[in-house]
Every structure is written in C-alpha cells, then in structure tokens.
Amino acid sequence: MTQAKNGDTVRINYNGRLADGTQFDSSGNEPLQFTLGEGQVIAGLETHVEGMEVGAKSTVTIPADAAYGPHRPEAVMTVDRARVPDNINVDIGARLQVRTPEGRPMPVTVVGVDDTSVKLDGNHRLAGRDLVFDVELVEIVQAA
C-alpha cells in the first residue's frame, strides 16, 4: 500500500486528548485535510502521519515541544485595569486580542482579574502540555 509522504495532501480522522483523558479537539464529522511538510498542523502530528498507510489507525503521544511548545512565563502579563475599556469582557477565560509593541495582533486569555489589574496569558492554551492523538489516515487526496 501507498504510504503518506512529504508533499502529499492527506485526510485524517483524529481525537486529541490530554494525558488525563480530557478531550480538547477532534476532527468531528469531516476529516481534517492538510499537506504534509507545510506546517499546517503541529509538528508531532505531521511527523506521525508521514509513513502511515490509508486505513491505518494509531495512537501517538506528542510531547509539548513538538506540539505548542513550552509554557513561556514571559508571555504572561499584567496590565492596569484602567487601561482596559469598560466594554471589554475580562472574566477569567475570556479570549481577547492585544497588539504587540510592533503592532501585530496577539491573542491572549484572561487568567486573573482584580480591581486594579488584569492578568493576560499569551501562551497557546495547550502550551506546556503533552498531547495524545488517536489518528486514522482516511485518504491520500493528492500524492506529491
């Protein structure tokens, strides 16, 4: 059988979960389509799919470094509450967008709030976490 290789466009079904079993994502009703080698999915998942044959199913644990990277303390910032407009939701867990000093948009999550400050985390929500994927290669749509 043909194995998926770099440059192939593939379709996979997957379920992603944390080591404790908490599911964080899945392909749902439609397989995920991406091209191997183009960095469209996390590196560890891409590496795992490469070499699989159509119909193959497997489970892989991807360490944080090959997923969303380590949790970076420098990406957590505290801002003065007065600098946040009143119409902005600052409930813990709210996702906001701020601008970097260079003017680029950066997604952040509210991780703390009190009367004087708001604590924002610019890390991906899965940063620092090892991820477990159940993967099925459904199809090689286009071979390289």
Side-chain angles (χ1 to χ4, degrees), residues 7-85:
D8 286 351
T9 298
V10 298
R11 293 170 47 107
I12 65 169
N13 286 325
Y14 73 92
N15 284 305
R17 62 186 189 281
L18 303 175
D20 68 4
T22 303
Q23 183 173 323
F24 62 84
D25 197 11
S26 79
S27 54
N29 295 328
E30 285 292 317
L32 173 67
Q33 181 172 309
F34 62 95
T35 301
L36 291 169
E38 292 192 0
Q40 298 168 335
V41 297
I42 59 173
L45 182 59
E46 188 171 65
T47 299
H48 181 72
V49 171
E50 192 169 344
M52 287 181 71
E53 295 179 349
V54 173
K57 295 180 181 182
S58 61
T59 299
V60 60
T61 298
I62 300 173
D65 288 346
Y68 293 98
H71 184 272
R72 297 173 301 116
E74 68 273 16
V76 179
M77 63 204 96
T78 301
V79 296
D80 185 5
R81 178 67 177 99
R83 292 188 60 204
V84 181

